[in-house]
Amino acid sequence: MTASPISPSEALDRLFTVVREEAATNPVFARRLLDAVGTPVLFQGTEAAPAVDPVIAAQRHDQAAFREMFSTFSEADLKKMLTTFGLATAEDIKGVKTKPKKMGFVELLWTGARSQLD
């Protein structure tokens, strides 16, 4: 059985639907696609946590924009990023005394990410 021909627009719609679905379920793929865009992307909120790379974000954003973006993440997500990306030690994380702690974690992210870039 041969499929009926479709328009180029329909073919592209089907292709991009598959790409969107894969990006929604695969954070590594989503990050690769976003990196390919070549422009700063603003990640906000817990749902964006799996797709963000703080080192790339520190490279593409200034400190104020970085702070604003990561302040939307939960403390748990920030701690996970710090350890996953090797941006702080467990002792560094335990040593955060800021109120709220989240802002201290954001500063650790910035410092660690900038350190990796240098």
Side-chain angles (χ1 to χ4, degrees):
M1 182 169 153
T2 305
S4 300
I6 60 174
S7 71
S9 177
E10 171 85 17
L12 289 172
D13 284 345
R14 289 181 184 182
L15 172 70
F16 291 125
T17 296
V18 170
V19 170
R20 272 191 302 277
E21 288 171 354
E22 180 63 19
T25 61
N26 183 339
V28 174
F29 180 67
R31 186 170 36 243
R32 289 180 58 215
L33 289 173
L34 293 170
D35 289 345
V37 172
T39 187
V41 175
L42 184 62
F43 295 90
Q44 291 188 323
T46 300
E47 69 280 350
V52 68
D53 181 328
V55 178
I56 293 171
Q59 181 180 30
R60 294 190 177 158
H61 298 280
D62 64 19
Q63 189 173 11
F66 184 93
R67 246 190 229 130
E68 184 178 333
M69 180 182 351
F70 285 96
S71 69
T72 66
F73 292 85
S74 70
E75 283 187 21
D77 286 335
L78 294 169
K79 286 198 270 189
K80 184 176 181 182
M81 279 184 243
L82 285 164
T83 56
T84 300
F85 289 91
L87 301 177
T89 65
E91 291 172 8
D92 293 334
I93 294 168
K94 287 180 187 175
V96 170
K97 303 292 184 218
T98 59
K99 302 273 185 203
K101 280 193 164 197
K102 172 160 86 167
M103 294 317 294
F105 296 148
V106 171
E107 292 307 313
L108 278 178
L109 271 178
W110 173 257
T111 303
R114 292 305 309 174
S115 177
Q116 280 194 10
L117 291 169
D118 292 340

